């Protein structure tokens, strides 16, 4: 962002309005302060009150009156209060006003930098935030943390972790807030190695068990990195009492990993301790019932939310119920449930129905779902791919071609699938048929040997997932080079025997790769954890933790 010319006045809306002082007094009154003659301190208090009340209009009046009364240059107290007002208000326009005010402040302190730094990082302005950070005379741990937390929360977890590593090199010790932010970033990218290291540091500092926020973030990090046992160990060791967030995170973690029975047992223990559940708790319970096929118990949980706990079901809970019914093959019942919802069903709800139609090969229901999804989420290629799968399994290749034409006509492009595996601190990413990796020849040879042994053990390629009207031989060649298979083959080559392989995939694992992973886990004697778009699949001794691959 270009800075204003030197000497330009700060943005002062209504600075020359005859009502500016009256509006300042009104803002002071709104904050419960005296309306006597304004000072920088009283104006700063009024600005802070406007921030708390989210009254940007009154706040801009405070700014204008403060400029008219020459209150802005006395100290950084008032400018910082106004800076926080603009920086915390939604919209790029207010962030721009914050930047203008910052650039024209005669004096800035650490708080000034931290306020703007937090706003820029939290809204994803990576380059500008880093540039501002580099301008700081002596960044404190709070400044580093603002940058890390902002990037982690704005969808830039890789940048957050890079800044954290720079923080380590600079010799700045993280605090509890930093650690929580790093856990969030690790969870997003699946960086278990960094997460474990930071958790060990937290334990050495004494708040790895006692700080509830750190413990809750660690549970979430381990769950999302595929280590549900480590998450449970943190949960079991918490000293200062578990909150509903702790219980809910662990219940959801067990459900995500296909351990529905453990999720239900933990809920029973939670109720035994007298901890009231919240909406997140029931999302985890409904997911657990869905993956275990417990339709009646899931329905009972859903009905008990409002009846027994006073929790009004939200759209996520309705989506879970549609998923539960659809997985169980009760597609017409799921349709009736959708039609009876008290709010407009969203794309997640219809997507759950479409997934059930694919699982049970119901073309009619799949077509109904896609008609709604084409309106609600027209750019999502995944729904069209699922419908194509339904048609392909039915041998309706003309309809597969029709779906592709519809995608092209609407400008929908198929997302390229990739799988990533971390080895020795480096992330190796693969795409289907990938030939770019420097060890591609050895990887393919390893994979071919695994496929040969898998066939001898009864594995047969599921060519129905290849949406091409070609012969089975060609389909098998395509299947053999799916990205998750390449990532696992590389992992087997690059890690010592017995090492658990952890793979992240941006799309849903296909049924063929799901079947193949079970066999590979048995052949290699390895545990393989695959985190796909929907859930975790933990393969061990020829078995997956989930009931089905979907």
């Amino acid at each position: 962002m270009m800075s204003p010319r030197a000497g330009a006045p700060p943005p002062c809306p209504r600075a020359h309005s005859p009502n500016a002082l009256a509006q300042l007094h009104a803002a002071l009154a709104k904050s419960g302060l005296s309306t006597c003659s304004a000072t920088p301190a009283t104006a700063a208090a009024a600005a802070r009150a406007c921030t708390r009340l989210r009254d940007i209009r009154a706040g801009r009046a405070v700014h204008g009156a403060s400029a008219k009364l020459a209150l802005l240059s006395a100290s950084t107290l008032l400018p910082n209060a106004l800076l926080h007002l603009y920086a915390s208000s939604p919209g790029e326009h207010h962030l721009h006003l914050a930047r203008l005010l910052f650039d024209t402040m005669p004096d800035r302190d650490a708080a000034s930098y931290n306020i703007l730094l937090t706003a820029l990082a939290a809204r994803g302005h990576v380059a500008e935030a880093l540039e501002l950070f580099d301008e700081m005379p002596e960044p404190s741990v709070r400044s580093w943390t603002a940058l890390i937390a902002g990037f982690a929360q704005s969808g830039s977890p890789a940048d957050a972790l890079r800044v954290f590593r720079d923080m380590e090199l600079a010799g700045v010790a993280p605090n509890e807030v930093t650690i929580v932010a790093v856990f969030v970033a690790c969870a997003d990218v699946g960086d278990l190695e960094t997460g474990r290291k930071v958790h060990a540091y937290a334990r050495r500092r004494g708040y790895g068990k006692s700080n509830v926020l750190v413990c809750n973030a660690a549970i979430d990090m381990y769950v999302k990195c595929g280590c549900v046992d480590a998450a449970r160990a943190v949960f079991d060791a918490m000293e200062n009492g578990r909150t509903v967030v702790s219980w809910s995170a662990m219940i959801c973690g067990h459900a995500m990993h296909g351990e529905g029975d453990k999720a239900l047992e933990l809920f029973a223990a939670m109720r035994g301790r007298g901890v009231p559940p919240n909406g997140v708790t029931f999302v985890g319970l409904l997911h657990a019932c869905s993956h275990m096929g417990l339709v009646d118990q899931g329905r009972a949980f859903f009905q008990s939310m409002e009846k027994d706990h006073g929790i009004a079901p939200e759209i996520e809970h309705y989506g879970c119920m549609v998923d539960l019914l659809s997985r169980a093959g009760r597609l017409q019942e799921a349709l009736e449930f959708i039609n009876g919802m008290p709010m407009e069903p969203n794309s997640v709800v219809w997507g759950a129905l479409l997934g059930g139609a694919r699982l049970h090969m119901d073309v009619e229901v799949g077509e109904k779902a896609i008609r709604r999804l084409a309106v609600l989420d027209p750019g999502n290629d995944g729904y069209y791919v699922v419908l194509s799968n339904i048609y392909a399994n039915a041998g309706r290749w003309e309809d597969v071609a029709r779906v592709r034409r519809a995608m092209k006509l609407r400008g929908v492009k198929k997302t390229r699938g990739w799988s990533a595996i971390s080895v020795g601190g480096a992330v190796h990413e693969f795409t289907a048929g990938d030939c770019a990796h420097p060890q591609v020849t050895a990887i393919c040879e390893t994979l071919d040997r695994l496929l040969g042994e898998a066939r001898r053990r009864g594995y047969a390629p599921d060519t129905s997932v290849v949406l091409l009207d070609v012969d089975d031989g060609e389909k098998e060649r395509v299947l053999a080079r799916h990205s998750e298979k390449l990532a696992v083959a590389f992992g087997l080559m690059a890690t010592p025997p017995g090492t658990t392989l952890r793979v992240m995939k941006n799309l849903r694992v296909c049924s063929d790769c799901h079947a193949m992973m079970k066999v590979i886990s048995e052949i290699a004697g390895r545990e393989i954890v695959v985190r796909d778009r929907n859930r975790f699949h933990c393969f061990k001794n020829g078995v997956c933790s989930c009931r089905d691959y979907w």
Side-chain angles (χ1 to χ4, degrees):
M1 183 182 297
M2 186 176 293
S3 300
R5 58 185 173 79
C12 297
R14 304 174 186 241
H16 303 292
S17 165
N19 295 323
L21 189 56
Q23 290 169 344
L24 172 57
H25 286 172
L28 288 166
K30 201 170 192 178
S31 68
L33 299 170
S34 170
T35 57
C36 60
S37 59
T39 66
T42 56
R48 288 194 292 271
C50 293
T51 303
R52 288 195 301 273
L53 296 167
R54 299 181 182 179
D55 192 340
I56 186 66
R57 186 174 181 181
R60 294 180 72 175
V62 170
H63 189 177
S66 299
K68 184 175 183 180
L69 297 172
L71 302 176
L72 290 167
S73 58
S75 70
T76 59
L77 180 69
L78 176 55
N80 281 348
L82 292 168
L83 187 63
H84 186 233
L85 168 74
Y86 292 126
S88 60
S89 297
E92 289 296 308
H93 173 64
H94 293 127
L95 182 60
H96 180 63
L97 291 179
R99 182 74 209 222
L100 285 174
L101 175 58
F102 177 87
D103 287 341
T104 53
M105 285 171 63
D107 295 302
R108 303 167 189 151
D109 57 16
S112 314
Y113 278 94
N114 288 336
I115 291 167
L116 185 57
L117 191 66
T118 299
L120 289 170
R123 300 193 195 188
H125 295 269
V126 175
E128 191 176 355
L130 291 172
E131 183 181 349
L132 181 67
F133 182 81
D134 289 339
E135 292 175 11
M136 294 186 70
E138 292 182 14
S140 65
V141 63
R142 185 175 178 181
S143 308
W144 285 97
T145 301
L147 203 58
I148 294 166
F151 288 158
Q153 293 163 8
S154 66
S156 303
D159 290 305
L161 294 176
R162 183 169 57 81
V163 172
F164 174 66
R165 293 184 183 103
D166 290 341
M167 180 181 179
E168 288 184 299
L169 292 173
V172 180
N175 59 22
E176 296 97 321
V177 181
T178 319
I179 286 168
V180 169
V182 173
F183 281 155
V184 171
C186 289
D188 278 351
V189 300
D191 190 342
L192 179 62
E193 184 178 344
T194 300
R196 278 177 168 161
K197 181 176 69 175
V198 173
H199 189 217
Y201 171 84
R203 288 197 300 268
R204 290 196 301 273
R205 291 297 298 266
Y207 41 75
K209 292 182 180 179
S210 60
N211 187 300
V212 175
L213 292 177
V214 170
C215 291
N216 288 345
I219 291 170
D220 183 67
M221 181 273 295
Y222 280 123
V223 164
K224 291 179 179 175
C225 288
C227 288
V228 68
D229 290 341
R232 186 59 186 263
V234 174
F235 175 85
D236 290 340
M238 289 177 71
E239 292 176 348
N240 286 355
R242 309 175 186 104
T243 65
V244 64
V245 175
S246 317
W247 289 92
S248 300
M250 201 63 248
I251 288 170
C252 289
H254 282 309
M256 286 173 62
H257 284 263
E259 299 177 345
D261 51 345
K262 292 183 180 179
L264 299 184
E265 288 170 6
L266 197 59
F267 178 67
M270 177 183 178
R271 301 297 294 134
R273 297 284 184 91
V275 180
N278 62 13
V280 178
T281 315
F282 282 99
V283 169
L285 292 172
L286 292 172
H287 274 150
C289 291
S290 182
H291 292 304
M292 295 174 71
L294 302 175
V295 176
D296 292 338
Q297 191 163 353
R299 198 195 312 276
F301 279 133
F302 183 82
Q303 292 171 348
S304 74
M305 287 181 64
E306 198 154 19
K307 179 183 175 184
D308 300 330
H309 304 283
I311 302 171
E314 298 181 12
I315 191 75
E316 291 85 0
H317 302 102
Y318 284 96
C320 288
M321 279 301 298
V322 173
D323 181 64
L324 171 63
L325 294 169
S326 299
R327 281 178 183 272
R330 302 187 184 186
L331 297 175
Q332 292 304 319
E333 192 176 341
L335 260 176
E336 292 172 9
F337 184 85
I338 292 173
N339 292 331
M341 286 174 57
M343 73 277 288
E344 193 67 27
N346 62 10
S347 59
V348 175
V349 173
W350 286 108
L353 182 68
L354 179 64
R358 187 212 179 283
L359 188 65
H360 298 283
M361 301 305 162
D362 192 317
V363 175
E364 183 182 353
V365 171
E367 289 174 334
K368 286 181 180 178
I370 201 71
R371 280 197 291 270
R372 299 298 184 97
L373 289 165
V375 175
L376 292 169
D377 195 2
N380 191 322
D381 68 294
Y383 301 132
Y384 295 95
V385 172
V386 172
L387 183 62
S388 294
N389 269 313
I390 296 173
Y391 285 140
N393 274 287
R396 293 170 54 170
W397 295 106
E398 289 184 4
D399 288 318
V400 172
R402 179 172 56 82
V403 171
R404 288 183 176 174
R405 286 195 299 270
M407 290 177 68
K408 187 175 182 180
L409 188 65
R410 295 169 184 169
V412 179
K413 294 183 179 179
K414 187 177 184 302
T415 302
R416 188 170 180 81
W418 55 260
S419 296
I421 184 169
S422 180
V423 175
V427 176
H428 298 259
E429 190 172 298
F430 298 88
T431 57
D434 200 343
C435 297
H437 196 279
Q439 294 177 262
V440 62
T441 301
I443 292 170
C444 290
E445 288 174 353
T446 299
L447 188 51
D448 288 340
R449 285 196 297 272
L450 288 168
L451 286 169
E453 178 59 29
R455 284 178 181 276
R456 285 189 287 274
R457 297 188 183 211
Y459 160 77
D462 180 5
T463 56
S464 67
V465 301
V466 180
L467 303 181
L468 298 171
D469 190 10
V470 295
D471 62 62
D472 283 348
E474 181 59 28
K475 289 182 179 182
E476 289 182 19
R477 281 189 287 275
V478 172
L479 281 176
R481 297 297 183 260
H482 272 193
S483 64
E484 51 268 64
K485 292 188 179 85
L486 293 168
V488 166
F490 172 73
L492 291 173
M493 289 169 42
T495 59
T499 304
T500 297
L501 303 181
R502 303 182 189 278
V503 176
M504 288 186 65
K505 184 173 174 63
N506 66 327
L507 303 177
R508 186 174 61 92
V509 172
C510 77
S511 58
D512 180 75
C513 285
H514 189 271
M516 182 66 182
M517 293 300 164
K518 288 194 282 190
V519 183
I520 292 177
S521 71
E522 187 176 31
I523 294 170
R526 300 279 197 109
E527 184 175 356
I528 302 170
V529 180
V530 180
R531 172 183 169 185
D532 72 5
R533 186 172 61 186
N534 289 357
R535 59 176 303 174
F536 281 91
H537 304 267
C538 302
F539 304 95
K540 189 175 182 179
N541 298 325
V543 177
C544 179
S545 58
C546 57
R547 292 176 63 249
D548 52 59
Y549 81 91
W550 176 42

